[in-house]
Amino acid sequence: MGDDPGALWSHPQLAAAVLSEDWGAVFRAYRKLTGLSQSRLGERVGLVQPDVSDIERGRRRVTSVEVRQRIVEGLGIPSRLQAAAAPMAAGKAPVASLTLSGPAPDEDLLARVTSVVDSAHRVDAATLDWLDGLLAAHRRAEDRIGARPLVDVMRQQLRTVVDMYSGARGPLVDRVVRLASEHAQFLAWMAQDQDDTATALAWYDRSHEWALEAGDANMAATTLNMKAHMAWSKGRATRCVRLAEAARWSASGTSLGVQGMAAQMAARGYALNGEADDARRLLDEAQRLISRASEHPEDEPVWMYFYGETWFTLQRGMAAMHLRNWRVAVDHIAVGLDALPDEYRRDKTWFRACLAHALAGAGESAQAASVAMASVPDAAAVGRPHSWNELHTTAAMLLRRGAKEGRQLVAALREYD
């Protein structure tokens, strides 16, 4: 494999390590696949053997742009992986302009969606107001129908926004950049919902850069919050905590709701790591922030429309699941589901799948299977892959415990596979 760079960097373990920016895992996988020693690998990337060893063991983190670039060049990491993985490529400014000259989310995607063309028309506030409303409507639609039907629509809509850049003047320039950032964040979320991690990370990075350029602290922090959510979904508890904490300190002036989401995301990471005290402390802090935010909803950014007491109750249930407090998890998730409006079809499907999991953990096999099987049609329609995977996890738990309902759930899932 070492003689075939294409095959080497197509290896899923190595590609995943690059995309997640886990340089210790990159070194370990690269050496395993090529047979290189730590010393020889160090020669390629300009590091001494003890430094390579420390990075592999997690004793040293790669934080320097210069060191990162030496690794990229020394190992010959393809540009397609660099673009998706790098939050700050060497030689590039940390804030990319709307000329899109920095690392692209995906070369083909970039060509189709965000190529900038000269525009003779002038942009006015009324047009941007209309696009704001259209984005809000699409966010609401995605709650009901899921991401798949909307992805192409949103790509075209982002292109429309980006094409306006050359025609914007004065304060409208910041509005165009801010609107582009919001579209990129929504595209990232939809990619994340479809478990397309590389595309999601790239769009979150692009959204973050545009938010900084436009001076939008709330969106800058939100992109970090959502990257924390993605780290959590991949089982990376420590990275979840670190990204959530970064969302709290890196962008001053964020709203109380955005701060509350960051505290809740950090709590989720601690819970995933089994650190109950820190999880509960941050959940309590998040609840105080959310309560204060509810007193002045006009101060919250429009994309935070979903985040309130109901959502937070569901998040407490998720944290309890991680801590294996099954009965507490059941109680919180059941209460949250009862209060969650039906238009949140995708989210209701996800939390029903989680409720089934929690019920199975609590030993209530018949009820777990009943909730799970009722969720199967929606999970197949709008809940793939996350809700679907959660139902399979529930089935596996039931089977391990010898519950006959496990076989019934497996049969129901197979009808839609």
Side-chain angles (χ1 to χ4, degrees), residues 286-366:
Q287 187 155 21
R288 289 192 294 270
L289 288 164
I290 293 164
S291 178
R292 290 171 58 197
S294 67
E295 297 172 3
H296 296 284
E298 70 278 5
D299 293 338
E300 296 301 318
V302 293
W303 61 84
M304 292 289 290
Y305 64 91
F306 66 92
Y307 200 73
E309 289 292 342
T310 295
W311 189 263
F312 185 71
T313 299
L314 292 162
Q315 299 309 312
R316 277 198 180 273
M318 296 298 298
M321 280 184 65
H322 294 321
L323 296 170
R324 297 185 176 276
N325 295 332
W326 300 113
R327 176 44 57 188
V328 173
V330 168
D331 291 344
H332 281 299
I333 296 173
V335 169
L337 272 170
D338 284 343
L340 194 64
D342 288 339
E343 56 260 32
Y344 291 93
R345 182 187 178 196
R346 183 207 56 234
D347 295 325
K348 290 199 82 161
T349 302
W350 162 250
F351 286 113
R352 284 193 184 111
C354 293
L355 177 59
H357 184 174
L359 286 164
E364 299 183 26
S365 300

Side-chain angles (χ1 to χ4, degrees), residues 362-375:
E364 299 183 26
S365 300
Q367 192 174 355
S370 176
V371 170
M373 285 191 282
S375 304

Side-chain angles (χ1 to χ4, degrees), residues 137-147 150 186 189-190 193 305 346:
H138 283 143
R139 288 187 186 277
R140 297 281 187 165
E142 195 261 346
D143 290 330
R144 178 176 288 275
I145 65 177
L150 289 171
F186 188 38
W189 163 251
M190 290 193 290
D193 187 57
Y305 64 91
R346 183 207 56 234

Side-chain angles (χ1 to χ4, degrees), residues 28-29 41 45 47 74 117 127 174 193 216 224 248 261 263 272 314 320 335 375 396 408:
R28 292 192 300 272
L41 186 144
V45 300
L47 294 170
V117 298
T127 300
D174 277 347
D193 187 57
D216 190 341
L224 293 173
R248 303 186 75 185
M261 177 181 279
L272 185 60
L314 292 162
V335 169
S375 304
Q408 296 168 358

Side-chain angles (χ1 to χ4, degrees), residues 188-340:
W189 163 251
M190 290 193 290
Q192 179 179 340
D193 187 57
Q194 296 300 299
D195 207 26
D196 186 351
T197 302
T199 300
L201 282 172
W203 279 122
Y204 279 136
D205 287 343
R206 181 63 52 145
S207 175
H208 185 77
E209 292 166 355
W210 281 339
L212 293 176
E213 185 177 337
D216 190 341
N218 282 323
M219 179 52 75
T222 294
T223 57
L224 293 173
N225 278 333
M226 299 314 296
K227 288 177 76 173
H229 173 75
M230 186 155 51
W232 163 83
S233 71
K234 297 297 182 183
R236 302 185 66 196
T238 300
R239 182 162 175 77
C240 175
V241 172
R242 291 177 63 84
L243 285 166
E245 291 297 333
R248 303 186 75 185
W249 61 256
S250 65
S252 61
T254 54
S255 72
L256 291 171
V258 171
Q259 293 173 39
M261 177 181 279
Q264 174 255 306
M265 286 289 181
R268 185 186 288 189
Y270 279 120
L272 185 60
N273 233 11
E275 300 177 52
D277 290 342
D278 284 326
R280 294 185 181 113
R281 171 179 57 80
L282 282 164
L283 285 170
D284 290 343
E285 181 180 348
Q287 187 155 21
R288 289 192 294 270
L289 288 164
I290 293 164
S291 178
R292 290 171 58 197
S294 67
E295 297 172 3
H296 296 284
E298 70 278 5
D299 293 338
E300 296 301 318
V302 293
W303 61 84
M304 292 289 290
Y305 64 91
F306 66 92
Y307 200 73
E309 289 292 342
T310 295
W311 189 263
F312 185 71
T313 299
L314 292 162
Q315 299 309 312
R316 277 198 180 273
M318 296 298 298
M321 280 184 65
H322 294 321
L323 296 170
R324 297 185 176 276
N325 295 332
W326 300 113
R327 176 44 57 188
V328 173
V330 168
D331 291 344
H332 281 299
I333 296 173
V335 169
L337 272 170
D338 284 343
L340 194 64

Side-chain angles (χ1 to χ4, degrees), residues 40-60:
R40 291 292 303 280
L41 186 144
E43 292 172 5
R44 293 193 179 188
V45 300
L47 294 170
V48 296
Q49 184 273 328
D51 286 341
V52 174
S53 177
D54 284 347
I55 291 170
E56 286 193 2
R57 293 173 178 268
R59 295 173 180 167
R60 174 181 170 182

